[in-house]
């Protein structure tokens, strides 16, 4: 289906989307097997073994199960590549850049200069973070440019992208709010409210799905029934929570009081070390949830300024903390993905063992690319900054650039500010800067100023 008035000659053929998908998953091809992370084991196991984990919803597990069917993990990577390539095609097409050439050029640039392929080629839901941002932009500013089938597809894709990870809920709500504000300024209150309803609909569906699955699995009506464990841990290791406990422990008598001298200095070790105090002294995350909630309430009530200060500091820290390849080291003979691959995909176990990742070659290779990926992000920002001093911005173009910046900041706030710092959190979004610059700059460089869309007022008819 084409956007308003586009001829069949302007459509992007399937082979171009397929070629773009291959470009966007090249690390898996070079590696000899799909890339994995420690959490890949959980995401594989939930659908394969029929359980719902305490720390993440099962929807990504169901998504990849629909692709691998216990036969091979390669269809998962191929499916993710096609999903991203098709989304890039939609963005380019609604911005009057249809056809194979813009898509293949964009995919090649992203493949060579950014970390997007390392995210798309990995059995993890991280690639969906960028998908959320682009989908919300399409729904907010180019809804009329999409066919009926594409609209339903976009609603379904956005719902899936939001519900695969709880952090995507505040992320998506924030992006929808920013989009509605831009629509209100550019087109008025009524279009803004309609757009906000469209953009929030997938998140509402995702929330309903999360509430339902958590009630069925844990008998708790909550989007994140054990999320307080992560936030309480963040508060304790930031300092505000530990100060609160050291002052109040004698009178409150929390179970964690007796383990404060053994929790260490690294929050991830506290959360995931099975012989650590969280599991040995506190009974595990599920058991400790009620106490974690009480700690959160107490810390916020006594020191709200300190909590906000710590969250702001963590957000800023996460904003500049990134490295390609985080988590792409070998996962051999560990409780991660290998036992499940050996059990459910035995014909691929040899390829897994012989892959460059499991031989220890992938991580240093990806790490050496970090300066290139950060440089591409900065290059995209510079290109958009240069364009900011020129006329010719349409409202969708301005919104695309603003949402990209909001996504990078919002992702840092949700992950670093509320949970914990990790190099991979920002790495999964840095590619957006170069892509947005390509989408916005290419028509500007190709056409004279007089032929460009006439500023904010010339952007109507697509939202």
């Amino acid at each position: 289906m084409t956007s308003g008035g586009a001829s069949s000659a302007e459509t992007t053929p399937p082979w171009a989307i397929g070629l773009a998908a291959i470009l966007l998953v090249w690390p898996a091809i070079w590696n000899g097997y799909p890339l994995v992370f420690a959490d890949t084991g959980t995401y594989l196991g939930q659908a394969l073994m029929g359980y719902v984990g305490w720390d993440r919803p099962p929807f990504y597990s169901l998504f990849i199960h629909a692709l691998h069917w216990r036969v091979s993990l390669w269809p998962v990577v191929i499916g993710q590549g096609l999903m991203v390539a098709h989304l890039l095609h939609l963005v380019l097409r609604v911005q009057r850049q249809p056809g194979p050439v813009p898509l293949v050029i964009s995919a090649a640039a992203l493949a060579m200069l950014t970390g997007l392929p390392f995210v798309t080629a990995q059995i993890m839901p991280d690639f969906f973070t960028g998908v959320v941002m682009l989908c919300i932009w399409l729904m907010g500013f180019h809804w009329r440019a999409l066919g009926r089938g594409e609209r339903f597809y976009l609603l379904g894709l956005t719902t899936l992208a939001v519900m695969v990870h709880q952090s995507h809920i505040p992320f998506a709500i924030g992006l929808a709010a920013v989009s509605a504000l831009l629509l209100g300024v550019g087109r008025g209150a009524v279009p803004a409210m309609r757009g906000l309803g469209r953009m929030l609909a997938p998140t509402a569906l995702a929330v309903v799905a999360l509430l339902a699955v958590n009630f069925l699995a844990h008998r708790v009506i909550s989007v994140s029934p054990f999320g307080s464990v992560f936030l309480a841990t963040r508060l304790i290791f930031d300092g505000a929570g530990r100060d609160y406990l050291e002052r109040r422990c004698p009178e409150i008598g929390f179970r964690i009081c007796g383990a404060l001298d053994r929790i260490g200095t690294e929050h991830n070790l506290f959360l995931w070390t099975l012989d650590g105090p969280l599991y040995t002294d506190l009974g595990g995350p599920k058991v400790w949830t009620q106490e974690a909630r009480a700690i959160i309430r107490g810390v916020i009530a006594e020191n709200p300024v300190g909590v906000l200060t710590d969250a702001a500091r963590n957000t800023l820290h996460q904003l500049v903390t990134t490295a390609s390849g985080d988590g792409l080291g070998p996962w051999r003979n560990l409780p991660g993905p290998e036992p499940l691959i050996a059990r459910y995909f035995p014909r691929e176990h040899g390829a897994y063992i012989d892959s460059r990742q499991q031989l220890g070659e992938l991580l240093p290779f990806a790490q050496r690319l970090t300066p290139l990926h950060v440089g591409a992000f900065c290059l995209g920002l510079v290109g958009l900054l240069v364009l900011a001093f020129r006329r010719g911005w349409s409202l969708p173009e301005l919104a695309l650039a603003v949402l990209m910046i909001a996504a990078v900041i919002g992702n840092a706030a949700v992950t670093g500010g509320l949970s914990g710092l990790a190099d991979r959190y920002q790495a999964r979004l840095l590619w957006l800067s170069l892509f947005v610059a390509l989408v916005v700059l290419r028509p500007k460089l190709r056409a004279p100023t007089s032929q460009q869309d006439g500023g904010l007022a010339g952007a109507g008819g697509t939202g």
Side-chain angles (χ1 to χ4, degrees), residues 182-457:
L182 291 171
L183 283 170
V185 172
R187 295 177 185 165
V190 173
M193 294 305 297
R194 289 175 178 172
L196 182 63
R198 288 195 305 268
M199 292 181 286
L200 287 180
T203 301
L205 292 174
V207 168
V208 171
L210 286 165
L211 290 173
V213 76
N214 286 326
F215 176 75
L216 293 174
H218 307 295
R219 292 296 184 265
V220 177
I221 302 177
S222 172
V223 170
S224 180
F226 309 109
S228 57
V229 171
F230 293 99
L231 182 54
T233 300
R234 182 72 266 158
L235 293 174
I236 291 170
F237 282 84
D238 278 341
R242 190 171 191 127
D243 292 342
Y244 167 81
L245 289 174
E246 290 176 348
R247 289 195 313 270
R248 303 296 301 274
C249 268
E251 57 184 275
I252 296 180
F254 287 137
R255 283 175 294 172
I256 196 174
C257 294
L260 278 179
D261 59 338
R262 292 181 286 108
I263 65 173
T265 58
E266 172 54 50
H267 77 280
N268 275 327
L269 293 178
F270 173 77
L271 284 171
W272 307 114
T273 302
L274 297 181
D275 59 354
L278 177 58
Y279 295 87
T280 58
D281 295 66
L282 306 179
K286 292 184 179 180
V287 175
W288 191 55
T289 295
Q290 293 299 326
E291 183 171 292
R293 291 173 182 166
I295 291 172
I296 293 169
R297 291 193 296 268
V299 175
I300 293 176
E302 286 198 2
N303 189 13
V305 175
V307 171
L308 290 175
T309 300
D310 287 340
R313 183 181 65 249
N314 291 333
T315 298
L316 292 175
H317 191 182
Q318 181 64 80
L319 199 59
V320 297
T321 300
T322 186
S324 301
D326 181 26
L328 293 184
W331 296 101
R332 290 296 319 281
N333 303 316
L334 296 171
E338 183 174 6
L340 289 162
I341 292 174
R343 177 179 177 183
Y344 292 101
F345 307 91
R347 289 179 295 180
E348 296 189 344
H349 188 223
Y352 172 85
I353 293 174
D354 294 336
S355 67
R356 285 184 164 91
Q357 180 178 3
Q358 305 314 317
L359 294 176
E361 300 173 7
L362 178 63
L363 177 58
F365 173 75
Q367 289 175 330
R368 287 195 295 270
L369 295 178
T370 295
L372 174 65
H373 298 163
V374 174
F377 172 75
C378 296
L379 179 64
L381 290 181
V382 170
L384 293 171
L385 183 62
V386 170
L387 185 60
F389 291 98
R390 297 180 55 186
R391 295 182 179 180
W393 283 89
S394 68
L395 178 59
E397 291 169 343
L398 176 63
L400 187 60
V402 171
L403 281 185
M404 181 272 296
I405 296 172
V408 172
I409 297 174
N411 182 66
V414 172
T415 57
L418 298 179
S419 178
L421 304 175
D423 288 333
R424 65 188 179 92
Y425 290 149
Q426 291 301 91
R428 64 193 184 188
L429 280 181
L430 293 189
W431 64 272
L432 283 171
S433 171
L434 182 63
F435 178 63
V436 170
L438 289 172
V439 171
V440 174
L441 286 173
R442 189 184 291 118
K444 308 298 180 183
L445 298 175
R446 185 178 59 205
T449 304
S450 61
Q451 296 178 357
Q452 295 172 7
D453 292 340
L456 296 184

Side-chain angles (χ1 to χ4, degrees), residues 47-65:
L48 287 170
M49 303 172 70
Y51 73 94
V52 177
W54 71 271
D55 54 336
R56 51 183 59 87
F59 298 109
Y60 181 71
S61 183
L62 295 171
F63 164 73
I64 62 176
H65 193 282

